[in-house]
Amino acid sequence: MSTIRMTAAQAIVRYLSVQYTERDGVEQRFFAGMFGIFGHGNVTGMGQALEEVGNDLTFYRPQNEQAMVHAAAAYTKAKNRLQTFACTSSVGPGATNMITGAALATVNRLPVLLLPGDTFANRVPHPVLQQLEYPLSQDVSVNDAFRPVSKHWDRIHRPEQLIASLPEAMRVLTDPAETGAVTLALPEDVQTEAFDFPNPMFEKRVWKVRRPVPVADDLDDAIELVRKARTPLIIAGGGVIYSEASNALDAFVSEFGIPVSETQAGKGVLPWNHPWNVGPIGAAGGLAANRIARDADVVVAIGTRLADFTTSSKTAFQHPDVKLLSINIGAMDAHKLGATPLIGDARSTIEALAPLLRASTTQKQDVSPITALKAEWDAAVDDLIQPREGEPLTQPQVIGLVNQASGPDDVVVCAAGGMPGDLLKLWRPLSPKGYHVEYGYSCMGYEIAGGLGVKMADPNREVYVMVGDGSYLMLHTEIVTSIQEGYKLTIVLVDNGGFRCIRELQTQSGSPPFGNELRFRDPATNRLDGPTVQVDFASNAESLGARSYTATNAQDLQAALESAKSETITTVIYVPIESQERVRGFEGWWDVPIAEVSDEPAVQEAKRSYDEGRAKQRWLV
Ligand SMILES: Cc1ncc(C[n+]2csc(CCOP(=O)(O)OP(=O)(O)O)c2C)c(N)n1
Ligand SMILES: [Mg+2]
């Protein structure tokens, strides 16, 4: 076999540049490029290789390693996991900065390839700068901390190891059932070491992203369950969107008359005004879906992890004989809550179920009670988003105004704070890629970095990043990258003076508020309850090169949103919110434990109400 002499780093970048995915006959480059921040541990080996490979694997230089992994995760989420980025870091802090991003990707089942630099395989100069020494073993570095947050992990001790390691990394990344962060730790000396690699390794390779169908026996079980259902409900999760199953789901529920509720990752799978779309379900869900869930006799979960926010911490389903059916590409998710598992791709499974169900005796649910519940819910949303003359702007109204200003193909991006819950209820998407909220890891700091990834995935869409003051202060510096690369974002920064949603969680649990607002320390009390710390957010954004607007009322916000449309660079619309009015719950519940003993009557009261919630929890085994 002919060979080519390359360093390990040169082999990696060459290999990555020729990997493709293919689904439904459509082929695309898997790696759109590589994000990286250089330091010792990657600037010589990986850096030299990247310089040499040039435009065959475009290099992007962000501001923060955590943020670059977020951008990669957002990009691949926007691309339905068919394309992604690789991320390279230096040893030590550069590497560990990526761990949060890795966890986010793995939790959300999003493929990202992480290439942290590692300390020398030859160990000669150890301990090197930024090395953590582990007394029990010399074979451990900080990169071992990636193991629990990666779906695949390897350390490349010798260049020739790549011949086996790279295909295994690709297999995991492109397998929808297994995907998540894949980490290949790269000792800095190995990156520069050469080997005679077999030439075929650098030929184009296409990885098929398959659409497996459940086995016939399982399909029969499923039909048996659905056929008998009188009040079935579908929960659509992110898997339905990644599988591009919107049309199949629409046809299925329109024919068989099954309402569809949505999770954060599944929102937008059907347009909000689709007659069978009953809206968001769960702890942050809406009235229609939560009422229907309560009485559903069969719940068909499709492409969802069935996390606590979706199941209202297992209180959502109260029908005494409720049964679950779970369509999922991953066996772990398919088996949750005692569900009858249907292990397969969302779209192909829906398409396989349709003729079987047609052939059996099913009754179609009457749409009219659903239409009535939906109308009640839509009216509640209308009321929440409607600005009121002469009254201060509320966060729900801000969401409504941004939604109205955005076009049908634009994207809203969010991740943490009070906004995701409000967006879940209030945002009205018209396309499956219009709603991008990372709520698996709900990671503060994802918003702007994620917005960058979403914009890179499709520069034709306007990207609206909704971010709280807390998240903004945690990580906003990818604004610089967005300007450097010419990817315009419209960032709507809602300032309510701190970690408002956590403050609410605290006060709802009976504690007096502390430690969440942005306040000076009061020397008299030694507590953070002095005057509010004033941050000039608009100047901050401008100092990074962004355009900025400030809007304190509905008219100003509408005008700013209109102007932002014609801006060509990232624009921050700063919206200070005085009103603390928040969206109330709509019969959802979230398990947040309350102190079992306290002299504080408010805590005792919170505990009583908590126990009432807990009494509704069901094991569903
Ligand atoms: C990285 C990270 N740290 C901590 C948290 C816990 N947390 C969730 S929301 C939140 C406050 C967010 O503040 P802000 O962005 O201003 O949103 P608000 O709650 O005011 O709506 C905190 C601290 C988190 N989700 N992510
Ligand atoms: Mg806030």
Side-chain angles (χ1 to χ4, degrees), residues 469-470 496 498 500:
D469 54 305
N496 53 16
R500 180 59 56 173

Side-chain angles (χ1 to χ4, degrees), residues 233-291:
L233 170 70
I234 287 174
I235 304 176
V240 190
I241 292 184
Y242 303 143
S243 160
E244 295 176 277
S246 287
N247 291 342
L249 183 69
D250 181 354
F252 187 82
V253 301
S254 302
E255 177 175 354
F256 301 108
I258 305 177
V260 177
S261 61
E262 300 170 317
T263 70
Q264 285 278 16
K267 189 173 167 80
V269 65
L270 298 178
W272 71 276
N273 50 6
H274 186 287
W276 290 99
N277 183 353
V278 294
I281 187 168
L287 198 74
N290 281 346
R291 292 241 173 105

Side-chain angles (χ1 to χ4, degrees), residues 184-496:
L184 298 182
L186 303 175
E188 60 180 301
D189 50 346
V190 180
Q191 289 178 41
T192 63
E193 286 167 13
F195 183 76
D196 295 314
F197 288 98
N199 256 323
M201 195 178 150
F202 306 106
E203 284 163 15
K204 174 175 171 181
R205 173 140 186 206
V206 183
W207 298 80
K208 267 202 182 153
V209 180
R210 299 182 183 86
R211 294 187 176 279
V213 190
V215 294
D217 194 29
D218 288 353
L219 283 169
D220 290 345
D221 289 350
I223 292 299
E224 190 56 20
L225 205 61
V226 179
R227 195 173 58 80
K228 288 197 212 128
R230 292 292 160 264
T231 50
L233 170 70
I234 287 174
I235 304 176
V240 190
I241 292 184
Y242 303 143
S243 160
E244 295 176 277
S246 287
N247 291 342
L249 183 69
D250 181 354
F252 187 82
V253 301
S254 302
E255 177 175 354
F256 301 108
I258 305 177
V260 177
S261 61
E262 300 170 317
T263 70
Q264 285 278 16
K267 189 173 167 80
V269 65
L270 298 178
W272 71 276
N273 50 6
H274 186 287
W276 290 99
N277 183 353
V278 294
I281 187 168
L287 198 74
N290 281 346
R291 292 241 173 105
I292 294 169
R294 188 190 57 203
D295 301 329
D297 57 356
V298 172
V299 175
V300 184
I302 316 180
T304 163
R305 304 164 58 225
L306 293 166
D308 60 351
F309 262 78
T310 297
T311 67
S312 281
S313 301
K314 303 206 173 131
T315 62
F317 318 120
Q318 291 295 326
H319 189 289
D321 303 316
V322 64
K323 294 273 180 298
L324 267 90
L325 173 68
S326 185
I327 300 172
N328 208 294
I329 191 100
M332 180 178 78
D333 290 325
H335 283 84
K336 285 176 181 166
L337 302 192
T340 298
L342 270 187
I343 299 166
D345 167 68
R347 193 173 95 189
S348 57
T349 305
I350 294 168
E351 286 169 353
L353 282 173
L356 299 174
L357 202 54
R358 202 171 292 139
S360 70
T361 53
T362 53
Q363 291 181 0
K364 186 170 169 174
Q365 236 182 131
D366 179 15
V367 76
S368 47
I370 284 155
T371 311
L373 266 177
K374 205 170 147 56
E376 195 182 341
W377 169 237
D378 288 345
V381 173
D382 283 339
D383 183 52
L384 285 162
I385 60 177
Q386 181 62 45
R388 288 184 288 268
E389 199 58 41
E391 288 181 32
L393 206 54
T394 64
Q395 179 165 291
Q397 292 161 5
V398 173
I399 289 172
L401 290 165
V402 177
N403 196 173
Q404 281 151 24
S406 66
D409 292 321
D410 296 344
V411 192
V412 65
V413 181
C414 192
M419 214 111 62
D422 289 1
L423 283 165
L424 182 71
K425 295 185 192 77
L426 309 175
W427 194 267
R428 290 170 159 171
L430 288 166
S431 99
K433 300 310 301 179
Y435 183 86
H436 182 122
V437 175
E438 185 284 298
Y439 211 63
Y441 209 46
S442 187
C443 184
M444 288 172 76
Y446 177 88
E447 296 87 349
I448 293 171
L452 174 64
V454 173
K455 187 70 178 178
M456 290 172 87
D458 190 351
N460 293 323
R461 297 172 190 257
E462 286 287 332
V463 174
Y464 291 92
V465 174
M466 305 287 292
V467 62
D469 54 305
S471 267
Y472 182 91
L473 286 179
M474 194 173 278
L475 188 49
H476 58 265
T477 43
E478 296 316 316
I479 287 177
V480 177
T481 319
S482 78
I483 286 162
Q484 169 194 351
E485 295 288 349
Y487 289 114
K488 176 207 163 188
L489 307 173
T490 300
I491 299 169
V492 180
L493 195 179
V494 177
D495 179 7
N496 53 16

Side-chain angles (χ1 to χ4, degrees), residues 5-320:
R5 194 156 179 81
M6 284 186 187
T7 68
Q10 289 161 358
I12 291 170
V13 298
R14 268 285 155 226
Y15 179 87
L16 298 185
S17 74
V18 291
Q19 303 307 304
Y20 287 71
T21 54
E22 187 236 283
R23 188 170 73 178
D24 307 329
V26 184
E27 205 176 271
Q28 51 264 307
R29 280 261 310 257
F30 188 56
F31 292 100
M34 190 177 305
F35 286 113
I37 292 184
F38 293 136
H40 97 89
N42 71 337
V43 69
T44 52
M46 187 56 75
Q48 188 279 333
L50 280 163
E51 195 283 322
E52 212 172 82
V53 81
N55 289 337
D56 287 348
L57 192 70
T58 309
F59 177 72
Y60 295 86
R61 180 246 190 244
Q63 317 308 316
N64 173 297
E65 291 90 355
Q66 177 184 327
M68 77 187 176
V69 185
H70 291 338
Y75 182 92
T76 195
K77 183 171 164 72
K79 290 283 190 184
N80 291 328
R81 313 191 288 198
L82 298 169
Q83 290 180 277
T84 189
F85 274 86
C87 298
T88 169
S89 81
S90 56
V91 300
T96 50
N97 262 0
M98 295 202 293
I99 290 177
T100 299
L104 181 146
T106 296
V107 167
N108 287 285
R109 286 94 158 110
L110 296 170
V112 293
L113 176 61
L114 307 180
L115 303 168
D118 211 332
T119 48
F120 288 65
N122 71 23
R123 297 192 185 143
V124 176
H126 281 190
V128 296
L129 175 72
Q130 301 169 320
Q131 176 173 352
L132 176 138
E133 291 168 276
Y134 186 63
L136 288 184
S137 165
Q138 296 216 34
D139 195 32
V140 170
S141 81
V142 293
N143 286 336
D144 289 77
F146 281 91
R147 287 177 188 259
V149 294
S150 299
K151 289 307 278 283
H152 179 74
W153 186 99
D154 205 353
R155 178 175 280 127
I156 308 302
H157 298 277
R158 305 163 64 96
E160 61 267 42
Q161 204 185 316
L162 291 170
I163 303 166
S165 295
L166 286 170
E168 183 57 6
M170 279 303 297
R171 183 190 67 75
V172 174
L173 287 165
T174 58
D175 179 342
E178 287 199 36
T179 199
V182 167
T183 303
L184 298 182
L186 303 175
E188 60 180 301
D189 50 346
V190 180
Q191 289 178 41
T192 63
E193 286 167 13
F195 183 76
D196 295 314
F197 288 98
N199 256 323
M201 195 178 150
F202 306 106
E203 284 163 15
K204 174 175 171 181
R205 173 140 186 206
V206 183
W207 298 80
K208 267 202 182 153
V209 180
R210 299 182 183 86
R211 294 187 176 279
V213 190
V215 294
D217 194 29
D218 288 353
L219 283 169
D220 290 345
D221 289 350
I223 292 299
E224 190 56 20
L225 205 61
V226 179
R227 195 173 58 80
K228 288 197 212 128
R230 292 292 160 264
T231 50
L233 170 70
I234 287 174
I235 304 176
V240 190
I241 292 184
Y242 303 143
S243 160
E244 295 176 277
S246 287
N247 291 342
L249 183 69
D250 181 354
F252 187 82
V253 301
S254 302
E255 177 175 354
F256 301 108
I258 305 177
V260 177
S261 61
E262 300 170 317
T263 70
Q264 285 278 16
K267 189 173 167 80
V269 65
L270 298 178
W272 71 276
N273 50 6
H274 186 287
W276 290 99
N277 183 353
V278 294
I281 187 168
L287 198 74
N290 281 346
R291 292 241 173 105
I292 294 169
R294 188 190 57 203
D295 301 329
D297 57 356
V298 172
V299 175
V300 184
I302 316 180
T304 163
R305 304 164 58 225
L306 293 166
D308 60 351
F309 262 78
T310 297
T311 67
S312 281
S313 301
K314 303 206 173 131
T315 62
F317 318 120
Q318 291 295 326
H319 189 289

